Amino acid sequence: MYLCPHSHHTLEQPIRKIIHVDMDAFFASVEQRDNPELRGKPVAVGGSKARGVVAAASYEARKYGVHSALASKIAAQRCPQLIFVKARFDVYSAISRQIRDIFYSYTDLVEPLSLDEAYLDVTENKIGMPSASIIAKEIKKRILEETGLTASAGVSYNKFLAKIASDMNKPDGFTLITPDKAEALVAGLEIEKFHGIGKVTAAKMQSMGILTGADLKLRSEEDLVRHFGKVGRYYYRISRAQDDRSVQPHRVRKSIGSERTFDDDLTEEDDLLERLQYLSEEVAQDMARLQASAKTVTVKIKYFDFTQNTRSKTYLSDFNSASAIFTIARELLRTPQLPAYPVRLLGIAVSSLTYQHDRLQEGYQLTLEL
Protein backbone atom coordinates (compact mmCIF):
# COMPACT_ATOMS: atom_id res chain seq x y z
CA MET A 1 0.00 0.00 0.00
CA TYR A 2 0.62 3.52 0.30
CA LEU A 3 -2.36 4.59 2.34
CA CYS A 4 -2.95 8.20 1.43
CA PRO A 5 -4.20 10.48 4.19
CA HIS A 6 -7.80 11.62 3.81
CA SER A 7 -8.97 15.09 4.55
CA HIS A 8 -10.61 14.02 7.81
CA HIS A 9 -7.24 12.97 9.24
CA THR A 10 -5.45 15.96 10.70
CA LEU A 11 -1.74 16.49 10.17
CA GLU A 12 -1.01 15.70 13.82
CA GLN A 13 -2.63 12.28 13.31
CA PRO A 14 -1.11 10.58 10.30
CA ILE A 15 -3.11 7.63 9.05
CA ARG A 16 -1.94 4.48 10.82
CA LYS A 17 -0.54 1.43 9.06
CA ILE A 18 -1.55 -1.74 10.88
CA ILE A 19 -0.71 -5.32 9.90
CA HIS A 20 -2.44 -8.38 11.34
CA VAL A 21 -0.46 -11.59 10.82
CA ASP A 22 -2.21 -14.92 11.37
CA MET A 23 -0.44 -18.25 10.91
CA ASP A 24 -2.36 -20.72 8.73
CA ALA A 25 -3.70 -23.74 10.69
CA PHE A 26 -0.63 -23.24 12.89
CA PHE A 27 -0.41 -26.37 15.10
CA ALA A 28 -1.53 -28.68 12.28
CA SER A 29 0.85 -27.05 9.79
CA VAL A 30 3.78 -27.57 12.19
CA GLU A 31 2.89 -31.27 12.42
CA GLN A 32 2.67 -31.56 8.62
CA ARG A 33 5.99 -29.73 8.27
CA ASP A 34 7.74 -32.10 10.68
CA ASN A 35 6.14 -35.31 9.42
CA PRO A 36 6.00 -35.55 5.59
CA GLU A 37 3.54 -38.47 5.84
CA LEU A 38 0.90 -36.07 7.18
CA ARG A 39 1.13 -33.62 4.27
CA GLY A 40 -1.98 -33.29 2.14
CA LYS A 41 -3.96 -35.34 4.66
CA PRO A 42 -6.68 -34.39 7.15
CA VAL A 43 -4.91 -33.89 10.49
CA ALA A 44 -6.32 -33.03 13.92
CA VAL A 45 -3.99 -31.93 16.71
CA GLY A 46 -5.20 -33.04 20.15
CA GLY A 47 -7.68 -35.71 21.14
CA SER A 48 -8.11 -39.21 19.70
CA LYS A 49 -10.79 -41.09 17.74
CA ALA A 50 -12.56 -42.18 20.90
CA ARG A 51 -12.35 -39.03 23.00
CA GLY A 52 -10.80 -35.63 23.58
CA VAL A 53 -11.05 -32.28 21.87
CA VAL A 54 -9.47 -31.00 18.66
CA ALA A 55 -6.99 -28.17 19.37
CA ALA A 56 -6.34 -27.47 15.65
CA ALA A 57 -7.28 -28.89 12.25
CA SER A 58 -5.42 -28.90 8.94
CA TYR A 59 -7.10 -27.34 5.90
CA GLU A 60 -7.70 -30.83 4.50
CA ALA A 61 -9.65 -31.67 7.68
CA ARG A 62 -11.59 -28.38 7.66
CA LYS A 63 -13.24 -29.35 4.36
CA TYR A 64 -15.09 -32.02 6.38
CA GLY A 65 -16.26 -29.54 9.02
CA VAL A 66 -13.50 -30.40 11.52
CA HIS A 67 -12.33 -27.38 13.53
CA SER A 68 -10.72 -26.46 16.85
CA ALA A 69 -12.78 -26.99 20.03
CA LEU A 70 -14.81 -29.75 18.31
CA ALA A 71 -15.21 -33.03 20.20
CA SER A 72 -12.78 -35.56 18.64
CA LYS A 73 -15.52 -38.17 18.45
CA ILE A 74 -17.64 -35.93 16.23
CA ALA A 75 -14.55 -34.96 14.21
CA ALA A 76 -13.85 -38.67 13.51
CA GLN A 77 -17.46 -39.18 12.42
CA ARG A 78 -17.31 -36.23 10.02
CA CYS A 79 -13.97 -37.34 8.60
CA PRO A 80 -13.35 -41.11 9.05
CA GLN A 81 -9.78 -40.89 7.64
CA LEU A 82 -8.82 -38.10 10.10
CA ILE A 83 -5.33 -38.57 11.61
CA PHE A 84 -5.02 -37.55 15.27
CA VAL A 85 -1.66 -36.17 16.43
CA LYS A 86 -0.60 -35.32 19.97
CA ALA A 87 -0.07 -31.61 20.60
CA ARG A 88 3.55 -30.47 21.15
CA PHE A 89 3.14 -27.07 22.79
CA ASP A 90 6.85 -26.64 23.52
CA VAL A 91 7.54 -26.82 19.77
CA TYR A 92 4.71 -24.40 18.91
CA SER A 93 5.98 -21.95 21.55
CA ALA A 94 9.54 -22.05 20.19
CA ILE A 95 8.34 -21.39 16.62
CA SER A 96 6.06 -18.61 17.87
CA ARG A 97 9.11 -16.90 19.45
CA GLN A 98 11.00 -17.28 16.15
CA ILE A 99 8.14 -15.58 14.29
CA ARG A 100 7.93 -12.77 16.87
CA ASP A 101 11.63 -12.07 16.39
CA ILE A 102 10.88 -11.47 12.70
CA PHE A 103 8.17 -8.96 13.69
CA TYR A 104 10.53 -7.15 16.06
CA SER A 105 13.03 -6.59 13.26
CA TYR A 106 10.45 -4.21 11.72
CA THR A 107 8.81 -2.59 14.75
CA ASP A 108 8.63 -2.77 18.55
CA LEU A 109 4.87 -2.11 18.37
CA VAL A 110 3.88 -5.77 18.31
CA GLU A 111 0.78 -7.03 20.17
CA PRO A 112 0.53 -10.82 20.12
CA LEU A 113 -3.00 -12.17 20.59
CA SER A 114 -1.99 -15.83 20.95
CA LEU A 115 0.81 -18.16 19.84
CA ASP A 116 -0.18 -17.76 16.19
CA GLU A 117 -1.34 -14.19 15.58
CA ALA A 118 -0.30 -10.61 16.27
CA TYR A 119 -0.91 -6.98 15.37
CA LEU A 120 1.97 -4.78 14.20
CA ASP A 121 1.93 -0.99 13.88
CA VAL A 122 4.40 -0.08 11.10
CA THR A 123 3.41 3.59 10.70
CA GLU A 124 6.97 4.27 11.87
CA ASN A 125 9.27 1.29 11.39
CA LYS A 126 12.89 0.22 11.75
CA ILE A 127 13.57 -0.05 8.01
CA GLY A 128 12.09 3.33 7.06
CA MET A 129 9.63 1.70 4.64
CA PRO A 130 6.53 3.81 3.91
CA SER A 131 4.58 0.88 2.42
CA ALA A 132 2.91 -1.45 4.94
CA SER A 133 2.04 -3.85 2.11
CA ILE A 134 5.70 -4.33 1.22
CA ILE A 135 6.55 -4.97 4.90
CA ALA A 136 3.67 -7.48 5.24
CA LYS A 137 4.76 -9.39 2.12
CA GLU A 138 8.37 -9.40 3.34
CA ILE A 139 7.27 -10.76 6.74
CA LYS A 140 5.27 -13.55 5.04
CA LYS A 141 8.29 -14.43 2.89
CA ARG A 142 10.65 -14.48 5.88
CA ILE A 143 8.28 -16.62 7.97
CA LEU A 144 8.13 -19.13 5.11
CA GLU A 145 11.92 -19.12 4.61
CA GLU A 146 12.80 -19.34 8.31
CA THR A 147 10.07 -21.71 9.56
CA GLY A 148 8.70 -23.45 6.43
CA LEU A 149 5.19 -22.28 7.39
CA THR A 150 2.71 -19.98 5.67
CA ALA A 151 0.99 -16.99 7.22
CA SER A 152 -1.83 -14.73 6.08
CA ALA A 153 -1.52 -10.96 6.45
CA GLY A 154 -4.07 -8.19 6.47
CA VAL A 155 -3.11 -4.54 6.08
CA SER A 156 -5.27 -1.51 6.84
CA TYR A 157 -5.50 1.72 8.82
CA ASN A 158 -6.93 0.14 12.01
CA LYS A 159 -6.90 -3.14 13.96
CA PHE A 160 -10.47 -4.19 13.18
CA LEU A 161 -9.95 -3.93 9.42
CA ALA A 162 -6.48 -5.52 9.47
CA LYS A 163 -7.90 -8.53 11.34
CA ILE A 164 -10.77 -8.91 8.86
CA ALA A 165 -8.33 -8.53 5.95
CA SER A 166 -6.02 -11.33 7.16
CA ASP A 167 -8.99 -13.71 7.21
CA MET A 168 -10.17 -12.96 3.68
CA ASN A 169 -7.81 -15.03 1.54
CA LYS A 170 -6.50 -17.82 3.78
CA PRO A 171 -4.25 -19.77 3.57
CA ASP A 172 -1.12 -17.84 2.49
CA GLY A 173 -3.30 -14.79 1.94
CA PHE A 174 -2.53 -11.11 1.60
CA THR A 175 -5.31 -8.50 1.66
CA LEU A 176 -5.13 -4.71 1.77
CA ILE A 177 -8.17 -2.66 2.79
CA THR A 178 -7.73 1.01 1.80
CA PRO A 179 -9.79 3.86 3.30
CA ASP A 180 -11.89 4.29 0.13
CA LYS A 181 -12.96 0.60 0.15
CA ALA A 182 -13.44 0.06 3.89
CA GLU A 183 -17.01 1.20 4.53
CA ALA A 184 -18.49 -0.69 1.56
CA LEU A 185 -16.62 -3.85 2.58
CA VAL A 186 -17.84 -3.64 6.19
CA ALA A 187 -21.41 -2.96 5.00
CA GLY A 188 -21.43 -6.21 3.01
CA LEU A 189 -19.89 -8.32 5.79
CA GLU A 190 -22.07 -10.92 7.53
CA ILE A 191 -22.39 -10.06 11.20
CA GLU A 192 -20.84 -13.35 12.41
CA LYS A 193 -17.64 -12.49 10.46
CA PHE A 194 -17.09 -9.35 12.56
CA HIS A 195 -14.13 -9.74 14.90
CA GLY A 196 -15.39 -9.08 18.42
CA ILE A 197 -18.90 -10.39 17.75
CA GLY A 198 -19.12 -13.95 19.08
CA LYS A 199 -21.74 -16.63 18.39
CA VAL A 200 -24.13 -15.59 21.16
CA THR A 201 -24.04 -11.88 20.24
CA ALA A 202 -24.36 -12.69 16.52
CA ALA A 203 -27.48 -14.79 17.24
CA LYS A 204 -28.98 -11.94 19.28
CA MET A 205 -28.22 -9.45 16.50
CA GLN A 206 -29.76 -11.76 13.87
CA SER A 207 -32.92 -12.05 15.98
CA MET A 208 -33.05 -8.22 15.92
CA GLY A 209 -32.76 -8.21 12.11
CA ILE A 210 -29.07 -7.24 12.07
CA LEU A 211 -27.54 -9.64 9.52
CA THR A 212 -24.81 -7.51 7.93
CA GLY A 213 -22.60 -4.50 8.60
CA ALA A 214 -25.11 -2.37 6.68
CA ASP A 215 -27.89 -3.44 9.10
CA LEU A 216 -25.67 -2.68 12.09
CA LYS A 217 -24.88 0.80 10.74
CA LEU A 218 -28.60 1.68 10.70
CA ARG A 219 -28.76 1.39 14.50
CA SER A 220 -28.09 4.39 16.69
CA GLU A 221 -25.32 4.27 19.28
CA GLU A 222 -27.92 4.62 22.09
CA ASP A 223 -29.87 1.68 20.69
CA LEU A 224 -26.78 -0.56 20.56
CA VAL A 225 -25.71 0.42 24.09
CA ARG A 226 -29.21 -0.31 25.36
CA HIS A 227 -29.15 -3.83 23.87
CA PHE A 228 -25.49 -4.77 24.33
CA GLY A 229 -24.11 -2.55 27.09
CA LYS A 230 -20.88 -0.57 26.83
CA VAL A 231 -19.53 -2.71 23.97
CA GLY A 232 -22.39 -1.28 21.86
CA ARG A 233 -20.22 1.81 21.35
CA TYR A 234 -17.54 -0.37 19.77
CA TYR A 235 -20.13 -2.02 17.49
CA TYR A 236 -21.36 1.43 16.43
CA ARG A 237 -17.82 2.45 15.44
CA ILE A 238 -16.81 -0.76 13.63
CA SER A 239 -19.98 -0.63 11.51
CA ARG A 240 -18.47 2.63 10.21
CA ALA A 241 -15.02 1.00 9.73
CA GLN A 242 -13.70 3.03 12.67
CA ASP A 243 -11.46 1.62 15.40
CA ASP A 244 -9.08 3.80 17.35
CA ARG A 245 -7.60 1.06 19.56
CA SER A 246 -3.81 1.26 19.48
CA VAL A 247 -1.41 -1.66 19.09
CA GLN A 248 -0.34 -2.24 22.69
CA PRO A 249 2.98 -3.98 23.19
CA HIS A 250 3.46 -3.23 26.90
CA ARG A 251 0.21 -3.07 28.74
CA VAL A 252 1.00 -3.12 32.43
CA ARG A 253 -1.64 -5.56 33.50
CA LYS A 254 -2.86 -6.64 36.89
CA SER A 255 -3.38 -10.14 35.52
CA ILE A 256 -2.62 -12.20 32.42
CA GLY A 257 -5.11 -14.80 31.32
CA SER A 258 -6.58 -16.93 28.58
CA GLU A 259 -9.86 -18.81 28.32
CA ARG A 260 -11.73 -21.01 25.86
CA THR A 261 -15.40 -21.84 25.35
CA PHE A 262 -16.00 -25.32 23.94
CA ASP A 263 -18.52 -26.26 21.27
CA ASP A 264 -19.19 -29.46 23.18
CA ASP A 265 -19.14 -29.53 26.97
CA LEU A 266 -16.20 -31.46 28.45
CA THR A 267 -16.61 -34.14 31.09
CA GLU A 268 -13.39 -36.22 30.98
CA GLU A 269 -10.37 -35.31 33.09
CA ASP A 270 -7.96 -35.90 30.19
CA ASP A 271 -9.86 -33.47 27.97
CA LEU A 272 -9.87 -30.83 30.69
CA LEU A 273 -6.14 -31.31 31.31
CA GLU A 274 -5.35 -31.06 27.60
CA ARG A 275 -7.17 -27.71 27.48
CA LEU A 276 -5.40 -26.53 30.65
CA GLN A 277 -2.04 -27.42 29.08
CA TYR A 278 -2.86 -25.27 26.05
CA LEU A 279 -4.06 -22.35 28.20
CA SER A 280 -0.92 -22.62 30.40
CA GLU A 281 1.27 -22.33 27.29
CA GLU A 282 -0.63 -19.28 26.08
CA VAL A 283 -0.39 -17.55 29.46
CA ALA A 284 3.34 -18.38 29.79
CA GLN A 285 3.92 -16.95 26.29
CA ASP A 286 2.23 -13.72 27.31
CA MET A 287 4.26 -13.59 30.53
CA ALA A 288 7.50 -14.08 28.60
CA ARG A 289 6.56 -11.30 26.18
CA LEU A 290 5.72 -8.94 29.05
CA GLN A 291 8.74 -10.15 31.08
CA ALA A 292 6.42 -10.86 33.98
CA SER A 293 6.31 -13.47 36.70
CA ALA A 294 3.42 -14.27 39.03
CA LYS A 295 2.57 -15.63 42.46
CA THR A 296 -1.14 -16.43 41.99
CA VAL A 297 -2.97 -18.77 39.62
CA THR A 298 -6.75 -18.69 39.19
CA VAL A 299 -8.72 -21.33 37.30
CA LYS A 300 -12.17 -20.33 36.04
CA ILE A 301 -14.73 -23.06 35.33
CA LYS A 302 -18.06 -22.33 33.64
CA TYR A 303 -20.53 -25.21 33.57
CA PHE A 304 -23.08 -26.29 30.95
CA ASP A 305 -25.79 -24.32 32.76
CA PHE A 306 -23.63 -21.13 32.77
CA THR A 307 -22.98 -21.24 36.52
CA GLN A 308 -19.31 -20.73 37.22
CA ASN A 309 -16.71 -20.89 39.93
CA THR A 310 -13.09 -19.85 40.33
CA ARG A 311 -10.32 -21.50 42.30
CA SER A 312 -7.12 -19.66 43.24
CA LYS A 313 -3.81 -20.38 44.90
CA THR A 314 -1.01 -17.99 45.85
CA TYR A 315 2.64 -18.93 46.42
CA LEU A 316 5.45 -17.16 48.24
CA SER A 317 7.81 -17.56 45.27
CA ASP A 318 7.42 -16.30 41.71
CA PHE A 319 6.93 -18.55 38.71
CA ASN A 320 6.78 -17.88 34.99
CA SER A 321 6.95 -21.23 33.17
CA ALA A 322 4.12 -23.08 31.44
CA SER A 323 4.95 -26.21 33.44
CA ALA A 324 4.61 -24.35 36.75
CA ILE A 325 1.29 -22.79 35.71
CA PHE A 326 -0.03 -26.13 34.46
CA THR A 327 1.00 -27.99 37.62
CA ILE A 328 -0.80 -25.45 39.83
CA ALA A 329 -3.85 -25.29 37.53
CA ARG A 330 -4.11 -29.09 37.50
CA GLU A 331 -4.07 -29.13 41.30
CA LEU A 332 -6.80 -26.44 41.38
CA LEU A 333 -8.91 -28.41 38.92
CA ARG A 334 -8.74 -31.43 41.25
CA THR A 335 -9.30 -29.45 44.47
CA PRO A 336 -11.67 -29.87 46.24
CA GLN A 337 -12.71 -32.26 43.45
CA LEU A 338 -12.86 -32.48 39.67
CA PRO A 339 -15.80 -30.59 38.13
CA ALA A 340 -18.92 -32.64 38.79
CA TYR A 341 -20.85 -31.23 35.81
CA PRO A 342 -20.03 -30.82 32.08
CA VAL A 343 -17.67 -27.90 31.53
CA ARG A 344 -18.47 -25.25 28.92
CA LEU A 345 -15.50 -22.91 29.47
CA LEU A 346 -12.08 -23.11 31.10
CA GLY A 347 -9.80 -20.21 31.87
CA ILE A 348 -6.44 -19.63 33.55
CA ALA A 349 -5.25 -16.29 34.87
CA VAL A 350 -2.09 -15.39 36.75
CA SER A 351 -1.84 -12.36 39.03
CA SER A 352 0.30 -10.81 41.82
CA LEU A 353 2.60 -9.91 38.92
CA THR A 354 6.07 -8.45 39.00
CA TYR A 355 7.83 -7.20 35.89
CA GLN A 356 11.48 -7.75 35.12
CA HIS A 357 12.32 -4.04 34.92
CA ASP A 358 10.95 -3.64 38.47
CA ARG A 359 13.13 -6.49 39.70
CA LEU A 360 16.48 -5.60 38.17
CA GLN A 361 17.45 -3.33 41.07
CA GLU A 362 16.65 -6.08 43.54
CA GLY A 363 18.86 -8.76 41.97
CA TYR A 364 15.93 -11.11 42.32
CA GLN A 365 15.67 -14.65 41.06
CA LEU A 366 12.80 -16.75 39.78
CA THR A 367 12.72 -19.68 42.12
CA LEU A 368 9.66 -21.79 41.51
CA GLU A 369 10.08 -24.26 38.66
CA LEU A 370 7.62 -27.10 39.10
Side-chain angles (χ1 to χ4, degrees):
M1 97 178 160
Y2 195 73
L3 287 175
C4 56
H6 271 207
S7 55
H8 58 269
H9 286 276
T10 61
L11 286 173
E12 301 85 79
Q13 266 200 320
I15 193 159
R16 292 183 299 155
K17 297 166 190 176
I18 310 294
I19 303 173
H20 180 259
V21 180
D22 193 3
M23 298 302 294
D24 299 320
F26 183 49
F27 300 167
S29 299
V30 171
E31 297 306 330
Q32 289 178 318
R33 178 195 78 173
D34 293 351
N35 181 353
E37 286 175 22
L38 298 176
R39 290 176 201 164
K41 293 187 182 153
V43 173
V45 175
S48 67
K49 266 202 168 58
R51 40 183 311 281
V53 171
V54 174
S58 70
Y59 282 97
E60 297 84 357
R62 292 182 190 190
K63 288 176 189 148
Y64 294 88
V66 175
H67 55 81
S68 62
L70 184 69
S72 307
K73 213 170 180 173
I74 295 169
Q77 285 163 8
R78 288 185 186 174
C79 177
Q81 67 274 46
L82 190 62
I83 302 164
F84 288 94
V85 181
K86 196 175 180 316
R88 298 179 298 152
F89 291 109
D90 52 337
V91 176
Y92 313 145
S93 293
I95 298 167
S96 181
R97 281 193 293 275
Q98 217 181 333
I99 292 163
R100 270 179 211 176
D101 287 342
I102 296 172
F103 298 158
Y104 288 126
S105 64
Y106 295 92
T107 177
D108 289 329
L109 295 178
V110 176
E111 181 183 338
L113 301 178
S114 61
L115 291 178
D116 58 352
E117 58 175 318
Y119 289 113
L120 290 73
D121 184 332
V122 296
T123 315
E124 305 280 324
N125 57 77
K126 295 177 183 179
I127 60 168
M129 164 55 69
S131 164
S133 292
I134 290 175
I135 292 177
K137 287 173 181 170
E138 225 177 85
I139 286 172
K140 275 167 54 69
K141 185 165 169 275
R142 280 188 58 189
I143 289 173
L144 184 61
E145 284 168 1
E146 294 177 33
T147 71
L149 301 165
T150 64
S152 294
V155 175
S156 198
Y157 58 92
N158 65 40
K159 285 166 88 170
F160 172 69
L161 292 170
K163 171 95 176 167
I164 280 173
S166 71
D167 215 27
M168 285 176 72
N169 290 302
K170 278 183 149 299
D172 197 20
F174 169 80
T175 306
L176 163 68
I177 300 176
T178 52
D180 54 329
K181 303 272 194 302
E183 284 203 55
L185 188 139
V186 171
L189 207 61
E190 293 162 357
I191 211 70
E192 60 271 26
K193 297 258 172 73
F194 274 60
H195 175 58
I197 295 181
K199 275 186 189 167
V200 176
T201 305
K204 182 174 174 182
M205 286 188 177
Q206 286 156 349
S207 73
M208 292 165 62
I210 302 171
L211 308 181
T212 65
D215 299 331
L216 184 61
K217 196 176 175 181
L218 294 172
R219 301 289 177 138
S220 70
E221 189 169 4
E222 293 72 25
D223 188 30
L224 291 171
V225 169
R226 192 165 60 248
H227 282 100
F228 301 100
K230 221 165 43 183
V231 74
R233 292 199 183 95
Y234 172 70
Y235 300 153
Y236 178 81
R237 292 182 64 77
I238 60 175
S239 73
R240 288 159 175 72
Q242 298 166 3
D243 177 12
D244 45 18
R245 293 173 303 150
S246 60
V247 172
Q248 295 186 302
H250 299 300
R251 285 181 293 200
V252 175
R253 305 191 204 162
K254 297 275 192 293
S255 69
I256 297 169
S258 187
E259 58 182 43
R260 284 285 182 288
T261 302
F262 313 118
D263 281 1
D264 300 284
D265 299 336
L266 305 186
T267 51
E268 302 290 327
E269 182 180 11
D270 283 358
D271 296 345
L272 294 166
L273 291 177
E274 188 172 45
R275 299 280 96 188
L276 277 185
Q277 172 85 49
Y278 175 67
L279 294 168
S280 302
E281 291 285 346
E282 283 207 327
V283 171
Q285 267 279 314
D286 245 3
M287 291 173 78
R289 177 172 64 84
L290 298 165
Q291 297 187 301
S293 60
K295 288 183 176 169
T296 302
V297 173
T298 302
V299 169
K300 174 177 165 185
I301 304 163
K302 189 185 279 183
Y303 297 102
F304 73 104
D305 59 358
F306 291 93
T307 56
Q308 68 175 51
N309 73 5
T310 55
R311 305 169 177 187
S312 289
K313 188 157 188 177
T314 300
Y315 288 79
L316 291 170
S317 318
D318 285 50
F319 50 84
N320 65 354
S321 72
S323 62
I325 297 165
F326 176 66
T327 303
I328 299 163
R330 183 175 57 195
E331 186 189 332
L332 288 169
L333 188 73
R334 292 170 172 166
T335 314
Q337 64 189 42
L338 281 166
Y341 304 105
V343 173
R344 183 186 170 79
L345 171 148
L346 267 185
I348 294 180
V350 294
S351 52
S352 315
L353 301 177
T354 45
Y355 292 89
Q356 195 173 333
H357 49 79
D358 300 333
R359 293 193 300 261
L360 289 176
Q361 300 85 349
E362 301 166 39
Y364 178 130
Q365 209 178 345
L366 295 180
T367 47
L368 185 64
E369 266 294 343
L370 296 172

